[in-house]
Amino acid sequence: MGLKKATIIDGKEFSSRTNQSLLPDVKLIVEKIGRPPALAVILVGEDAASHVYVRNKIKQTKDAGMVSIEHQLSAETSEKTLLSLIDTLNKDDQIDGILVQLPLPKHINGNSVIQTINPEKDVDGFHVVNAGKLATGQKGLVPCTPLGCLLLLQNTIGDLSGLHAVIVGRSNIVGKPLAQLLLAENTSVTIVHSKTKNITEITSKADILIAAVGRAEIIKSNWIKPGACVIDVGINRIETQEKETGKYRIVGDVDFSQVKEKASFITPVPGGVGPMTISCLLRNTVIATAKRKGVEIRLK
Ligand code: NDP
């Protein structure tokens, strides 16, 4: 008897439900403070993918009844100018969340820029204060993509306690914070990376496999335990044959057509983790507003 094909996890549908679930809290905040949560988005330079992400983030913020203020800066903007804008936004009581879209141009040190954001407004959850809180089990703002992965997993599997998760990738924005989130759910966690030996021996024991590598379709079916739940964070642009037209398609880090034959659940790319990242940004903006303004909301 052949293996059953994986159920495809619909990240878009879950994301729109997550956004809907924020509406009562947004309404409550408007009642209590006389205005909706406000997110400032800073975009430096012309990176095409960043422009698409920012457009989506702004649209969805507005759809959820919140305010989104875009600061579009040229690629030549100095670090000093950017830091001075962040300082203004930090001090502006009408701004609840600040997001600096990464990557930044090479002459700007992204890490030091992020550390100047007021941790209470750090809706990306990248500030060391928030990273430290996550690592030590305290309440703070949690990075959006890992949080999106966790919510997708809980919505798909339910209780994650006792399961073995393997995360491929150890970045500060995905792999490491996701490991912390899963540990807090009593999952056993292994992180593998580019220096790991015998990687498929480890990944093929995982009940949950999360790919955050940035290498198109690197994860083949021999990496997967039969019946595993596979979450693909990767976003890779593949040029199509008509190169001169500038057309491309987006694929994940997982070879979807192979792996869906072996896994029990799998996220597609696009339409899996990506939409949840934006939902978690909206979620964080609501949480940041409520905390700073002392409003008791339903969301925990
Ligand atoms: P990074 O480049 O920061 O990290 C990649 C990780 O993968 C590193 O830990 C690296 O190992 C590891 N790695 C690289 N090659 C291999 C290999 N051959 N075998 C095993 N591990 C390997 O990437 P990010 O974490 O920032 O992003 C990962 C992917 O997720 C990207 O495609 C990105 O576009 C996507 N992404 C998607 C988001 C979404 O909203 N859906 C949000 C954020 C990212 P080492 O540390 O040893 O170098």
Side-chain angles (χ1 to χ4, degrees):
M1 207 172 67
L3 278 164
K4 217 170 123 256
K5 276 191 191 172
T7 300
I8 296 167
I9 299 172
D10 188 345
K12 261 181 121 167
E13 186 274 332
F14 185 50
S15 152
S16 93
R17 264 196 291 141
T18 306
N19 293 358
Q20 283 289 321
S21 74
L22 300 175
L23 297 178
D25 282 334
V26 172
K27 193 164 164 263
L28 191 64
I29 288 170
V30 174
E31 279 165 20
K32 297 279 182 200
I33 70 170
R35 63 164 181 83
L39 172 69
V41 181
I42 306 175
L43 181 57
V44 188
E46 305 304 329
D47 184 75
S50 295
H51 275 264
V52 175
Y53 299 146
V54 165
R55 220 179 303 133
N56 281 335
K57 286 171 184 175
I58 290 174
K59 180 179 181 307
Q60 289 192 39
T61 310
K62 289 181 177 161
D63 288 350
M66 298 191 255
V67 172
S68 184
I69 299 145
E70 189 184 356
H71 296 266
Q72 166 91 59
L73 307 178
S74 82
E76 290 75 41
T77 302
S78 69
E79 188 168 312
K80 198 168 160 228
T81 305
L82 177 57
L83 293 180
S84 138
L85 172 59
I86 292 174
D87 184 49
T88 307
L89 297 170
N90 279 340
K91 290 177 182 148
D92 187 343
D93 192 44
Q94 304 290 308
I95 295 294
D96 306 295
I98 303 171
L99 179 144
V100 179
Q101 182 65 42
L102 301 176
L104 287 166
K106 293 223 163 13
H107 65 279
I108 298 179
N109 181 335
N111 195 40
S112 57
V113 166
I114 299 300
Q115 301 316 319
T116 63
I117 297 174
N118 174 353
E120 290 191 332
K121 298 187 178 187
D122 169 40
V123 282
D124 253 338
F126 294 158
H127 193 286
V128 287
V129 166
N130 285 314
K133 284 186 172 173
L134 179 60
T136 53
Q138 298 173 61
K139 251 189 153 358
L141 291 164
V142 174
C144 303
T145 300
L147 181 59
C149 292
L150 176 70
L151 297 178
L152 275 175
L153 280 167
Q154 289 176 321
N155 188 54
T156 306
I157 307 178
D159 184 13
L160 306 178
S161 173
L163 297 176
H164 180 203
V166 175
I167 303 169
V168 191
R170 56 174 161 177
S171 72
N172 289 336
I173 65 169
V174 189
K176 282 185 209 158
L178 181 55
Q180 305 288 359
L181 284 172
L182 289 170
L183 282 174
E185 297 302 321
N186 299 318
T187 311
S188 305
V189 183
T190 306
I191 302 187
V192 296
H193 46 76
S194 72
K195 306 289 186 293
T196 303
K197 294 195 174 110
N198 305 325
I199 201 163
T200 55
E201 260 176 43
I202 301 169
T203 59
S204 60
K205 293 197 174 67
D207 304 311
I208 297 166
L209 184 97
I210 298 134
V213 192
R215 303 265 185 281
E217 298 176 332
I218 188 178
I219 293 177
K220 307 289 179 191
S221 61
N222 65 320
W223 293 52
I224 308 294
K225 172 172 157 177
C229 179
V230 177
I231 305 288
D232 191 352
V233 180
I235 300 175
N236 307 289
R237 280 176 179 230
I238 305 279
E239 295 210 355
T240 57
Q241 273 161 359
E242 321 93 74
K243 215 174 178 177
E244 58 285 358
T245 64
K247 283 196 178 147
Y248 61 85
R249 66 190 176 96
I250 300 283
V251 300
D253 293 338
V254 175
D255 188 328
F256 185 82
S257 61
Q258 276 191 15
V259 171
K260 77 174 188 324
E261 304 293 328
K262 201 167 179 187
S264 62
F265 296 98
I266 186 167
T267 58
V269 176
V273 174
M276 280 310 292
T277 296
I278 300 186
S279 292
C280 291
L281 171 68
L282 307 189
R283 196 179 189 270
N284 279 351
T285 306
V286 171
I287 290 173
T289 312
K291 173 118 196 294
R292 217 169 50 82
K293 291 292 183 180
V295 181
E296 272 288 327
I297 53 170
R298 298 186 325 173
L299 192 65
K300 291 290 162 235

